[in-house]
Amino acid sequence: MRLILLGAPGAGKGTVAKLLTQLDGSVQISTGDILRGAVQAGTELGKKAEAFMKAGDLVPDELIMGIMEDRLQEDDCAKGFLLDGFPRTIPQAEALKDLLARLNITLDMAVNIDVPRDVILDRLTTRRTCSNSDCQAIYNVKSNPPKVEGVCDKCGSPVIQRDDETEEAITRRLETYNEKTAPLVDFYEKEGMLLTVQATSSDDVIAAIKAKLGS
Ligand code: ADP
Ligand code: ZN
């Protein structure tokens, strides 16, 4: 399947994407994971992106489009992909439309995961992430803690609170979302490819997507 996952930070895009990859071999493409990997590795991209990310601001569209143009042409995308955290602005959505037309790729739909704001805030402050850039497993101190406190179940690396998960950065990320990313819901509605799912359980989101795809 070829999907865009839309939703505020903390809506569960990453969790839903990971579950969907198990269904049909589609790959998760998370621009946030790619950027955090680049920051850790200290690449040119990472150096350019780091300050924006730490503040909870968006990384410039040109950098993101460069990443995505390369990523979508890798072999593992042939079976399908789940775009998690991209596009994030109207210019990115326009550029993606052009890019997909050039690559002759059609999307199934854009899924808007709509979660109440109080749930989002609670999740973001209690979220923890594996510090290993090749893993980046997501935990929650309340609802899904690692088996051993502070240690990733999957790879054994330390589980940490992300730099952009301070209260200040979270507030900024939510503002950025409302200003820059929320308009994409209308954009994809007009494109006739929007599915909105109001659900706080990722299993319910998966069920709604499957029902819509008829699989
Ligand atoms: P979340 O969805 O939880 O905010 P992500 O992991 O998707 O987190 O993104 C973390 C940060 O990476 C964002 O706050 C932003 O700085 C940057 N980022 C990720 N994806 C994009 C994108 N498509 N465009 C611009 N910046 C991005
Ligand atoms: Zn890990």
Side-chain angles (χ1 to χ4, degrees):
M1 64 190 106
R2 298 189 174 80
L3 302 182
I4 294 172
L5 298 171
L6 295 173
K13 299 182 295 291
T15 308
V16 166
K18 285 195 175 71
L19 290 168
L20 289 171
T21 60
Q22 294 162 14
L23 295 181
D24 68 351
S26 300
V27 288
Q28 174 188 12
I29 303 180
S30 157
T31 40
D33 285 354
I34 294 172
L35 291 167
R36 278 186 291 279
V39 169
Q40 260 193 20
T43 63
E44 273 312 299
L45 169 68
K47 284 181 200 147
K48 287 181 188 152
E50 190 167 14
F52 295 104
M53 295 174 72
K54 199 161 181 180
D57 289 327
L58 292 180
V59 171
D61 291 337
E62 309 79 64
L63 284 183
I64 300 291
M65 291 316 301
I67 298 174
M68 289 308 296
E69 172 135 20
D70 294 343
R71 184 67 189 86
L72 284 172
Q73 294 182 71
E74 281 175 34
D75 292 342
D76 63 351
C77 291
K79 281 193 189 161
F81 50 78
L82 310 153
L83 302 182
D84 159 15
F86 169 86
R88 265 294 220 283
T89 63
I90 295 282
Q92 286 181 21
E94 302 273 15
L96 174 65
K97 195 174 164 183
D98 292 346
L99 175 61
L100 292 175
R102 261 193 287 137
L103 300 176
N104 223 339
I105 297 172
T106 315
L107 294 174
D108 295 310
M109 60 187 170
V111 181
N112 175 29
I113 309 173
D114 190 8
V115 174
R117 194 183 160 94
D118 54 326
V119 176
I120 294 272
L121 277 174
D122 189 53
R123 278 188 191 167
L124 289 176
T125 45
T126 53
R127 180 154 84 177
R128 298 292 182 271
T129 307
C130 172
S131 59
N132 170 2
S133 58
D134 292 327
C135 175
Q136 303 201 30
I138 297 166
Y139 298 92
N140 184 290
V141 288
K142 286 194 215 156
S143 59
N144 174 33
K147 290 194 187 82
V148 178
E149 199 188 322
V151 181
C152 179
D153 294 350
K154 298 204 175 93
C155 78
S157 302
V159 168
I160 54 157
Q161 186 159 24
R162 273 166 39 181
D163 274 353
D164 62 357
E165 278 169 356
T166 60
E167 212 172 300
E168 203 185 343
I170 289 171
T171 307
R172 179 77 197 126
R173 275 160 66 209
L174 291 173
E175 276 169 18
T176 305
Y177 173 79
N178 287 333
E179 220 175 281
K180 307 260 174 68
T181 310
L184 293 184
V185 172
D186 268 353
F187 179 93
Y188 287 110
E189 173 88 78
K190 289 198 183 101
E191 296 278 309
M193 47 188 288
L194 185 74
L195 171 70
T196 293
V197 186
Q198 275 161 333
T200 48
S201 129
S202 12
D203 289 339
D204 292 348
V205 177
I206 304 281
I209 292 171
K210 278 186 170 173
K212 184 75 180 183
L213 290 173
S215 62

